[in-house]
Amino acid sequence: MIGGGSWATALTKILSENGARVGWWLRSKDDVQHLRSTRHNRRYLSSVAFDLTRVVPSTDLEEVVKEADWLVLAVPAAFVQSALDKLDRDALKNKRIISAIKGMIPGKNVLVTDYVAERFRLPHTQLGIVAGPCHAEEVALEKQSYLTIGSPDHQLAEDFSLLLRNRYVKAHPMADLDGIEYFAVMKNIIALTCGIAHGLGYGDNFQAVLVSNAVQEMRRFVHAMNPQPRDLSGSAYLGDLLVTAYSQFSRNRTFGSMIGRGYSVKSAQLEMNMVAEGYYAVKSIYELNKELKVPMPIATAAYHILYEKISPAVEIEILKEKFR
C-alpha cells in the first residue's frame, strides 16, 4: 500500500482483515512510529485499529515494493511522480498494480495508469483501478459498499476483487480501465462544482439539474477520449458521481462549497488539510479538451472560477442558462 491517507487506510483495513499481509509505505517516520506503537493511523480514520502481524508500516519504499505481489497506489495524483520516481524502472516488472487514485498527473495531463505504464514500461494488462461509490469513512464504519475493479486483464480484476470481498464490501471486475478512470477523474470536477453551487445558496433542484447535465458532459468527453460502448448508469460511473456530488464525506464537494462561500483556493486547501483531486483535475481536463473541443460547460466554468479567478456567482449564473 503506497500512501497514508483515508482511502489507503480503509483499503489496508479491508485487505488485512481479509487475511492479506500488507506492507504499508508512509512518507512520515512519525506516522510509521505511531502506527507501530498504537496500531492506529493518527492522521486519518484514527478509530481503525490494525493487526501488526498483518500490517507492516515502513518508510522504505523500495523494500515495501520488493516484498509485494500487488502494489496499490493511494497517494494524491499530484504526488505520484515524487513517490514513484525514486524506484528503478524495473522495480514493478513482475508486480500487479492497482490505482486507487481518482485523479490525473498534473502537468502531464495523463491518467495515473498511463503514467505508470510508460514510466515502468508495463503492459496495461498488469494494471487496474479500484473505483465506485466508496467513501473511506463509510468503509471504516463497515457500511455496505460496492467496488469495481477495472482492468483489460479479467483475471487480474477478478483476483483483486477476491482480495476485497467481505461482509460489507462487494467487488466485481470490469474491462473498461480507461472509461472508469476518466469518469472517476471527472466526477470530482462535478462534485466540486456542486459544492460551489451549494456554497452560493443554490438548492437541491438546481443540484439535480447540474448532475444530470454533468452525465451528458462526461459521456461526451469519455467517448471522445476512449470510444467504446459502456453503460454509464452502472455504479462504477453514475454511482461514483452521485456519492461524490452529494455526500457529506466528499472532500471535493466540501472544497467547492468553501469556494462558493468566498474562500480562496489557498485558504480552502489549508483549512481542509486534505487534497481535493478535483482542483487539479479541472486544469488537466480543460487542457486536454483544448484539442478535443467537446462541449463541456461545467468543467469550463470550474476552470474559470479556480484558475482565472472569475466570480463563482457570475460563472454559475452563466452556467445555469446553458442547462435544460
Side-chain angles (χ1 to χ4, degrees):
M1 184 65 60
I2 308 301
S6 56
W7 191 216
T9 305
L11 287 170
T12 300
K13 168 184 165 64
I14 297 169
L15 293 165
S16 62
E17 290 180 357
N18 282 355
R21 182 183 184 277
V22 182
W24 190 359
W25 178 79
L26 300 100
R27 191 184 305 272
S28 166
K29 291 181 180 179
D30 290 342
D31 290 347
V32 168
Q33 185 55 45
H34 188 84
L35 260 166
R36 287 173 177 169
S37 59
T38 70
R39 303 191 300 128
H40 297 271
N41 182 350
R42 63 178 180 168
R43 296 182 186 272
Y44 301 97
L45 307 184
S46 57
S47 63
V48 177
F50 293 97
D51 180 349
L52 295 182
T53 65
R54 292 179 180 171
V55 176
V56 184
S58 173
T59 57
D60 188 336
L61 179 61
E62 289 82 0
E63 187 63 25
V64 168
V65 170
K66 180 181 177 181
E67 295 294 321
D69 297 315
W70 293 87
L71 193 66
V72 180
L73 305 177
V75 295
F79 304 142
V80 168
Q81 284 184 268
S82 61
L84 295 187
D85 280 1
K86 302 169 187 173
L87 296 173
D88 183 81
R89 288 182 71 90
D90 293 324
L92 308 186
K93 185 176 181 180
N94 298 312
K95 313 295 180 182
R96 294 200 278 184
I97 298 97
I98 298 292
S99 173
I101 303 166
K102 297 179 179 181
M104 302 185 77
I105 306 296
K108 291 182 175 293
N109 302 332
V110 297
L111 296 173
V112 172
T113 55
D114 287 341
Y115 166 74
V116 173
E118 180 182 355
R119 169 68 176 78
F120 295 98
R121 298 173 293 200
L122 301 174
H124 279 79
T125 50
Q126 277 183 241
L127 298 160
I129 182 170
V130 55
C134 48
H135 282 310
E137 293 82 358
E138 289 201 357
V139 170
L141 293 169
E142 301 189 357
K143 301 286 188 180
Q144 188 66 56
S145 301
Y146 292 74
L147 300 176
T148 300
I149 312 304
S151 176
D153 187 302
H154 177 82
Q155 194 59 56
L156 179 148
E158 176 60 27
D159 288 349
F160 198 72
S161 296
L162 286 172
L163 290 175
L164 293 173
R165 290 176 190 146
N166 62 20
R167 174 178 54 81
Y168 58 91
V169 174
K170 296 185 183 298
H172 68 276
M174 187 179 286
D176 186 20
L177 174 62
D178 283 356
I180 291 172
E181 197 165 2
Y182 276 121
F183 216 85
V185 170
M186 288 197 64
K187 57 92 183 179
N188 286 332
I189 298 173
I190 305 308
L192 193 155
T193 310
C194 283
I196 292 172
H198 178 264
L200 288 167
Y202 286 84
D204 293 343
N205 293 345
F206 180 73
Q207 296 260 74
V209 173
L210 195 160
V211 170
S212 60
N213 277 266
V215 173
Q216 300 170 49
E217 181 169 319
M218 296 163 80
R219 178 186 292 113
R220 290 191 295 266
F221 180 80
V222 173
H223 184 74
M225 291 298 297
N226 183 254
Q228 63 172 277
R230 48 176 63 93
D231 180 5
L232 297 183
S233 66
S235 63
Y237 308 103
L238 181 59
D240 202 1
L241 169 62
L242 292 176
V243 77
T244 310
Y246 287 102
S247 174
Q248 62 177 322
F249 295 125
S250 170
R251 66 188 66 176
N252 289 284
R253 178 184 166 89
T254 299
F255 178 81
S257 183
M258 294 170 75
I259 298 297
R261 297 200 311 270
Y263 282 72
S264 68
V265 167
K266 190 67 175 177
S267 60
Q269 289 173 327
L270 288 171
E271 184 161 323
M272 283 183 65
N273 194 32
M274 298 174 81
V275 174
E277 291 280 16
Y279 171 70
Y280 300 100
V282 163
K283 188 174 184 182
S284 292
I285 295 297
Y286 182 84
E287 290 180 350
L288 281 174
N289 197 45
K290 285 181 179 178
E291 293 186 14
L292 294 173
K293 295 182 171 34
V294 173
M296 298 183 70
I298 300 172
T300 301
Y303 180 85
H304 288 165
I305 292 167
L306 297 176
Y307 289 92
E308 295 185 350
K309 296 182 172 57
I310 294 177
S311 161
V314 170
E315 197 63 37
I316 298 300
E317 187 71 25
I318 295 169
L319 180 64
K320 75 180 188 182
E321 294 303 317
K322 299 178 181 179
F323 290 165
R324 296 290 183 269

